[in-house]
Amino acid sequence: MSVVSQFIQASYEKHLEAVNRILRYLKNTPGKGLMFRKTSRKTIEAYTDSDWAGSVVDRKSTFGYCTFVWGNLVTWKSKKQSIVARSSAEAEYRAMSLGICEEIWLQKVLSDFYQECEIPLKLFCDNKAAISIANNPVQHDRTKHVEIDRHFIKERLDSGSICIPYIPSSQQVADVLTKGLLRPHFDLCVSKLGLIDIYVPT
């Protein structure tokens, strides 16, 4: 929806086809919703992703993250980045920084309710270059433009409050927020997000 909404003022036939496709999907899935399950896991996990230069209009990237508290999806966001990223690692790195901020905020909300969570918080990323930059304390010319995010993430890694494991792109659930996916991968991501259809017989 966020992509097609950018073309409201000057829409073409292909934009209307995309809107019709979205409406057909919504019409055929009236019972889709989040299922919150009670679990023994006391974790906060985030999945972050970015599509590098995905906008054909201005070549800005779209980032997305989804966060799970105790195994249940509680927050998600997808938004076009405000500046043009010069590499896929930069676009992913900015998304990682925002995902970590969301995890820290959720941890503070839980502590306000006297709820503990396991440390370190996990942030799953499918970009090995971005993970390498996060773990490498050496300043490179390539990373000067993301220096503030680099220090923020490195500080959290050094304190042990977060960890950033690699996840293959095929298992990255945040893809559904940043990219157009083929139906099998889309359905897999939706099921991993915890969305179920209440009208499907069990």
Side-chain angles (χ1 to χ4, degrees), residues 45-49 122-126 163-167 172:
E45 298 174 339
Y47 293 80
T48 62
D49 195 37
K122 289 184 181 174
L123 179 101
F124 294 97
C125 178
D126 62 357
C163 67
I164 307 174
Y166 171 76
I167 186 168
Q172 176 59 275

Side-chain angles (χ1 to χ4, degrees), residues 52-119:
W52 178 47
S55 173
V56 294
V57 176
D58 57 11
R59 287 300 177 199
K60 291 182 180 174
S61 304
T62 300
F63 75 88
Y65 63 77
C66 47
T67 53
F68 293 79
V69 174
W70 301 347
N72 296 295
L73 178 66
V74 291
T75 64
W76 59 91
K77 183 175 186 175
S78 177
K79 186 177 179 182
K80 188 188 284 190
Q81 292 181 352
S82 58
I83 61 168
V84 176
R86 292 188 271 175
S87 68
S88 62
E90 178 185 347
E92 293 272 359
Y93 205 78
R94 292 185 190 281
M96 285 170 51
S97 178
L98 294 166
I100 290 170
C101 288
E102 187 74 6
E103 284 184 307
I104 291 169
W105 175 75
L106 286 168
Q107 184 182 30
K108 288 179 181 177
V109 168
L110 288 175
S111 70
D112 287 346
F113 290 109
Y114 304 103
Q115 297 294 317
E116 296 294 322
C117 65
E118 294 174 13
I119 301 295

Side-chain angles (χ1 to χ4, degrees), residues 4-184:
V4 292
S5 68
Q6 297 173 33
F7 300 99
I8 290 176
Q9 300 298 327
S11 58
Y12 293 102
E13 184 82 23
K14 63 182 178 181
H15 300 121
L16 294 176
E17 288 173 13
V19 169
N20 284 331
R21 188 173 174 190
I22 292 166
L23 292 174
R24 273 195 310 274
Y25 172 77
L26 292 173
K27 182 182 177 189
N28 292 327
T29 57
K32 281 275 192 206
L34 286 173
M35 171 64 91
F36 292 95
R37 294 179 171 89
K38 184 176 181 179
T39 64
S40 59
R41 294 178 19 201
K42 301 287 186 185
T43 60
I44 298 176
E45 298 174 339
Y47 293 80
T48 62
D49 195 37
S50 181
D51 71 334
W52 178 47
S55 173
V56 294
V57 176
D58 57 11
R59 287 300 177 199
K60 291 182 180 174
S61 304
T62 300
F63 75 88
Y65 63 77
C66 47
T67 53
F68 293 79
V69 174
W70 301 347
N72 296 295
L73 178 66
V74 291
T75 64
W76 59 91
K77 183 175 186 175
S78 177
K79 186 177 179 182
K80 188 188 284 190
Q81 292 181 352
S82 58
I83 61 168
V84 176
R86 292 188 271 175
S87 68
S88 62
E90 178 185 347
E92 293 272 359
Y93 205 78
R94 292 185 190 281
M96 285 170 51
S97 178
L98 294 166
I100 290 170
C101 288
E102 187 74 6
E103 284 184 307
I104 291 169
W105 175 75
L106 286 168
Q107 184 182 30
K108 288 179 181 177
V109 168
L110 288 175
S111 70
D112 287 346
F113 290 109
Y114 304 103
Q115 297 294 317
E116 296 294 322
C117 65
E118 294 174 13
I119 301 295
L121 308 175
K122 289 184 181 174
L123 179 101
F124 294 97
C125 178
D126 62 357
N127 188 297
K128 290 181 180 179
I131 294 171
S132 176
I133 292 169
N135 288 301
N136 186 357
V138 177
Q139 173 74 19
H140 296 288
D141 288 339
R142 292 175 37 199
T143 62
K144 283 185 180 174
H145 46 282
V146 289
E147 186 174 349
I148 294 171
D149 288 336
R150 189 178 68 80
H151 285 289
F152 172 73
I153 293 173
K154 186 69 179 137
E155 184 179 277
R156 298 303 183 276
L157 284 170
D158 289 345
S159 71
S161 63
I162 65 159
C163 67
I164 307 174
Y166 171 76
I167 186 168
S169 293
S170 61
Q171 297 174 16
Q172 176 59 275
V173 295
D175 272 354
V176 77
L177 300 172
T178 60
K179 300 172 180 76
L181 303 173
L182 296 175
R183 188 63 187 238

